[in-house]
Amino acid sequence: MQDNATEVTAAGIARLAGVGRAAVSNWRRRHADFPRPVGGTETSPSFALAEVESWLRKQGKLAEVPLRERVWRQLSGHPEGPVTALTHAGCLLLLIHDRPTVWLEVSAGSDERLAKMLPGALREVFTPRFGPESAMDNAPAVNTPPAVNTPDAVSTADDANPAPLVSYAHAPSDAHAPSDAHAPSGVHTPSAVNTRPALHLPTAPELLPSAPLLRGVAELAAELGARQTFEFLLGRHLDANPRQYTLTPADLAALMADLAGPARTVLDPACGTGALLRAAATRPDQELHAQDSAPELAALTTLRLALQTWSTVHGAVGDSLRADAHPRLRADAVLCHPPFNERNWGHDELAYDARWEYGFPARTESELAWVQHALARLKDGGAGVLLMPPAAASRRSGRRIRADLLRRGALRAVIALPVGAAPPYNIPLHLWVLRRPEKAPAQPEVLLVDVGQFAGEGRGGPDWRAVREAVLDAWQAFGRPGRFTERPGLARALPVIELLDDDVDLAPARHLPPPTAADGAEQLTAVREHLGETLRLTADLTPPRADAAHPARWPLTTVGELARGGALMLRTGGNGGHARVPVLTDHDVLFGADPSGTLPESEEEAVLTEPGDVVVPVLGGGSVARVIDATTGGAALGRNLVLLRPDPAALDPWFLAGFLRGTANNRQASSYASTATRLDVRRLQLPRLPLDEQRRYGERFRVLDEFERALRHAGRLGEQLVRGMYDGLTDGTVAPD
């Protein structure tokens, strides 16, 4: 059943039909029966999705909307907004995950009956999972069969594992609080008075507008599984709203969890979308405590963790600094990606808070407030890992707190990450590794690590494998008895006394010894030799003198016509995949780099490249096409890319790629918005030539591509050599003559 209230913009119509926005504008002008706008504005109207689908199908421009796309359109166009729709969908998926037979009973009949019966059914799941507070409403009860804990009770598309119990941390167990957990008399201790459960039981009137969406979600869950369906929908929502959410990359989350080590009780006081707690959830007997000041994030993360982990999950809404939901908790580990550079973090009202054991943070030092909050929630010997801005290691306003953290052994390591490790991507962030001291160390040391050398090119991100190996190897060596072996340019264990000066500057780069002079000179020599070889190759590959010729008058065809005739297959990049394979991004194609991206994990089938495929970016306005070779084949196709797989009996791939790169060709196939240029690949043209003639052109295009790659490689080597020479001359590791 289609939801007539769901709306879609012109851009959404273009995506449904696989055309550019200009085509949608043409349809509106040329076809009197095109659906009329039902909302939006005069310059950005919206249309009823059901009417649009019907019109597209009638015109032969749309055979059938895929189930995933239809559900996403219903969710994104929900009258109460996508967050409400996603929360309702998550509640339903939890019901299907725990009690699939109950959903079959509730979904029978009309939408009104579904909305009336569903709250009672959800109550039977909410009460044991989220506590009685989340199930308080006047929803009618529903007769439901008892819960079944056997794997047969779980959707066959899900893992056959018992679901986790979920409750809320605003009523923590006394088992987590030591006997001396109370604050001294007269000292303010934050309470959970201003916190609330992350979820509440939706009522029938709230659920009624979501009924068509919920039926589609249930249908998708039967295909993908409840867990995978929620991940798919949440991933699409996050991708559609990149400026609203600050995400912690999965590779960074995994590194932070490994630094903290195995933990039974884990807290994230600024949980966001739950990436850190998901990375830490490795065993079924764990307890995960989550809190976030944004109600929508707290709700979605609680549902996500409940569906994705075997652990017990405690979730709450509230500002952890002003209204801590876990005041009595003593966790084994705290992982946190706190908000940076906040002035309004509670400086005035929290002046006498018991958590400031290491000093009262200045108004400009919100990150040091989060550091002390983490330490206050750790048990003795517990580990904390926080992502920090680099300024927190050197600002003068925080030097006294940094000094006390060092003296008492609470700060164990500062790790400088490469640029691009996490947002904001233009600065090299730090990781602070904390340990709540059981007693003051006799001769405290702190580990300083700088892995900035493993930064990737452009938007490709760091070399996470190298970062992970270097950081964990140094951290494990630091924890072993005996003297830490210094690693020039990478890691050093420094006695705390050497840092306790007027600045207490903890930036690793300022304390690490430079790479050894011999290594630096040898490396520069190798780069110089490699550059010389590449320049000689570039000279050999330089194209011969171009001879003038009369403009050719070939009969032309388009990519769209070739696809309809079976001469090539056209695929677009996906939004997820169930296999962990390298992902070819639009950046990789534009700059000739190796696959460097990742896709959200889901049950969606990723599009895998094969040798001979031609890949074209659709954004940015550049005339670029890349032929996939044996080394790149097998990578997944990323977003904003179109793959063309030519029939070798009809089309030569190099001939295809070469003509697609023509500037005039790209210009006539592009549409222009206010902020971006989008290429309609189906409109790209190429001449109709015999296969032998195609191969003649294709060989010339292949040699040009090899020349282009050699030039690009020479440029990178030249930049590396120049930078290395400047660094060597200025730090004394290279002689001036």
Side-chain angles (χ1 to χ4, degrees), residues 613-662:
D613 290 344
V614 177
V615 177
V616 182
V618 297
L619 295 180
S623 54
V624 177
R626 177 170 175 176
V627 178
I628 301 299
D629 56 19
T631 59
T632 315
L637 192 68
R639 303 180 186 88
N640 302 320
L641 292 176
V642 172
L643 179 145
L644 306 176
R645 184 164 293 162
D647 179 354
L651 276 175
D652 179 79
W654 286 104
F655 164 80
L656 174 63
F659 274 95
L660 295 187
R661 290 192 60 172

Side-chain angles (χ1 to χ4, degrees), residues 408-422:
R408 297 170 61 178
L411 180 58
R412 304 295 292 131
V414 176
I415 300 164
L417 297 170
V419 171

